Every structure is written in structure tokens, then in C-alpha cells.
Amino acid sequence: HNRGIVARRLDASSRTKSIDMAVQTVAMEMWKDVEERPMAAAALLLVLGLAVTVSYAVASHFVGSTMRRRKLKDIPKAPGGLPILGHGITLLRQTPWDLFTKWVVEISPIIRFNIFGEQFVVVAEPKFLKSIWQSNIRAYTKDMTFTYKPFLPLLGTGLVTSEGELWRKQRLLVSTVFRIDILEEIVGMAKRAVDRLSLQLEKVRNTKETVDLEELFRRLALQVIGEALMGLTPQECDDVFPKLYLPIMEEANKRVLRPWRMYLPSWTHVEFSRNVTALDKYIVGLIRKRRQLRKHEVKQCGKAAAARKFDILDRVLDHLGEE
């Protein structure tokens, strides 16, 4: 019996040594290959590294998604949906808002769906909305990893996306700037913008010319925002924002239901990045010019905007200080 145990141990030891020798041989061959073909070896290591990174990211995503799905299991699930894709294809084929309305009317006032494993809840019940927005607001955080992510190049860390102390600081700034007087001025700006649009539409009345009302109303909104925030003329707004801001928003909206667009190397991705950079440069340029103008006004007249209209940007700079 003892001789049998010793024989088995020797046999196991022999197998272990054989495996060690085989591993060493493979390692030596791989190292030799690396020395002879370093570029090929580097490419292989890069591919392996990317594969491991992607696999880890996908696994983490779906593990997290599974845990969230279990927490939401008591909420009714929307009909349809495919493995992995979830309800993404369904939402692409129909207008999402109309589909959400159909679900809450026909199935439940609170219902969940998923897109690529991400869980979403549609709420159309007043008591639940009160809990989310008022009584239990601290229990909910802003979704920066999916819902807001396509819009972060525009929103940054502003009031819409920030939380905690940063949110309170910016909320205080907004409450200081948006007083009754500026809101009254915005009403007049909106009225003038509507009058300009009416004249534009009047030119095509009783003609067969088609008009893109969606585009016109977008421009109208941007004209009001541009004038209220930075004192821009309607023409300045039309020259810049439709070419830079609107394409960014259009692509960001597409990325909500097609998140892969954020990662695919395409010409659309390049154009999106260019537009973001150009818009940032334009806005930063306006702010810097305004700072210089205010310094000149203070030197000449003793205060800023003594002979021009005082807009929201002036109010923000007053609050933050010139430096």
C-alpha cells in the first residue's frame, strides 16, 4: 500500500515536471519570437490587452445590470425586447414618447424597460413623482453614465448635471442672476422673435413653398437664449448656433438610443468633436471679449455696461468677479 502511494506521488511529480518543462519551452519559444519579430509581438499584446479590457467592461456592465434588474423586479416590465439589445430596436422603430405614453396608459403608470442592459423606469403616477422630485429626492442621483452621457460635451459640470455642494453653489448663482427683472426682459425678447418669425412666414403665405417649422422654432429659441445670455443679435445667433449647436444636439439625441455611436471611429464622430471644440472656442471667446469690454467700461465710465444693455452674462460676471 505504501509502495503504491509512493509510486503515485512519483508519477504525479513526474507529470508536474513535464508540465513545467513544457511551459518553459513555450515561454522560451514565445520570447524568441518576440526577439525575432517585435512588431508582430507588440501588435498581438495590444490586441490581447484590448480584448481583456473590452471583456471586463462588458462583463461589469451586465453584472451591474443584473443587480439593478433584481432591485426593480417588482415593477412591471414593458412588452417585447430582445436579448442584450433590450427595447432599443423597438424605440428606434417608433417615437419613444408615444410608446412610453402607450405603456403607462395600457399597462401600468410605472413601468420599466432596458436598452443594452441599462434599466429605465417610466413614471406617470403623481405620488411616485412627488417622491422622486420632492419628499425623497436625496435617494435619487442623476444618471451620468447613460442618460446624460451623450450630452456631457454641452452640459459639462453645470447645474443640470452637478450634485451636492457644486449644485448648491451654482443654484445660488442662478437664483441671484435670474431675478424678476431679467425674466420680464426675456418676455419682450420672445415677443420680438415671434414677430420676426411671423414676418418670415408671411412671405410664403399663399405660395407652394415648404417651410421647416421645426428648424424655424429651434432658431427662434436660440435667438432668445443668445440675446438674453450674451446680448447677441438674431443674425449672430443664426450665423453660429445652427451650424454648431444644433448638429451637436442632433447627434447627442441619436446617441441616447444608439450608444455605440459614441465609440465608433466614423466621420460623424469627427464632425461631432469638431463642432464641440468650435462651439467651446466661440463661447470662451465671447466671455473673454466681454471681460475686456467691462474693464474698459469701468476705466472710462466707472462701471460696466453704463451705455449698453446689461445682460445675464454681465450679471454672472458681477457675481463671480472680474478675475
Side-chain angles (χ1 to χ4, degrees), residues 13 16 19 23 58 65 75 86 92 100 108 114-115 124 130 169-170 179-180 197 202 225 256 258 261 263 269 278 319:
S13 177
T16 301
I19 293 173
V23 170
V58 171
S65 174
I75 298 177
L92 285 173
F100 295 159
S108 170
N114 85 86
I115 302 175
K130 182 178 180 180
K169 180 180 179 181
Q170 296 188 86
R179 297 194 298 267
I180 296 298
L197 177 60
E202 188 67 27
I225 294 171
V256 173
R258 304 174 182 89
R261 294 176 68 101
Y263 310 104
H269 188 87
H319 185 84

Side-chain angles (χ1 to χ4, degrees), residues 214-279:
E214 182 180 11
E215 177 70 13
L216 290 177
F217 276 105
R218 283 179 175 178
R219 290 180 177 238
L220 182 149
L222 291 172
Q223 288 172 7
V224 175
I225 294 171
E227 183 179 357
L229 291 180
M230 295 168 286
L232 299 177
T233 66
Q235 189 59 51
E236 287 177 303
C237 294
D238 286 347
D239 288 341
V240 177
F241 295 129
K243 298 175 183 177
L244 299 178
Y245 173 80
L246 291 182
I248 295 173
M249 284 299 298
E250 184 178 352
E251 174 61 19
N253 279 311
K254 289 179 180 179
R255 291 180 176 188
V256 173
L257 298 179
R258 304 174 182 89
W260 60 85
R261 294 176 68 101
M262 288 185 280
Y263 310 104
L264 291 179
S266 63
W267 182 249
T268 301
H269 188 87
V270 173
E271 283 292 307
F272 180 83
S273 299
R274 285 181 178 176
N275 287 334
V276 170
T277 301
L279 183 60

Side-chain angles (χ1 to χ4, degrees), residues 63-108:
V63 167
S65 174
T66 301
M67 295 176 65
R68 288 188 292 272
R69 186 169 63 249
R70 288 177 179 174
K71 292 180 180 180
L72 300 173
K73 60 183 177 61
D74 294 332
I75 298 177
K77 182 181 177 182
L82 299 171
I84 300 179
L85 297 178
H87 296 83
I89 301 299
T90 304
L91 293 169
L92 285 173
R93 291 175 176 173
Q94 304 183 49
T95 304
W97 321 120
D98 292 340
L99 189 58
F100 295 159
T101 302
K102 181 180 179 181
W103 285 344
V104 297
V105 169
E106 298 181 359
I107 302 174
S108 170

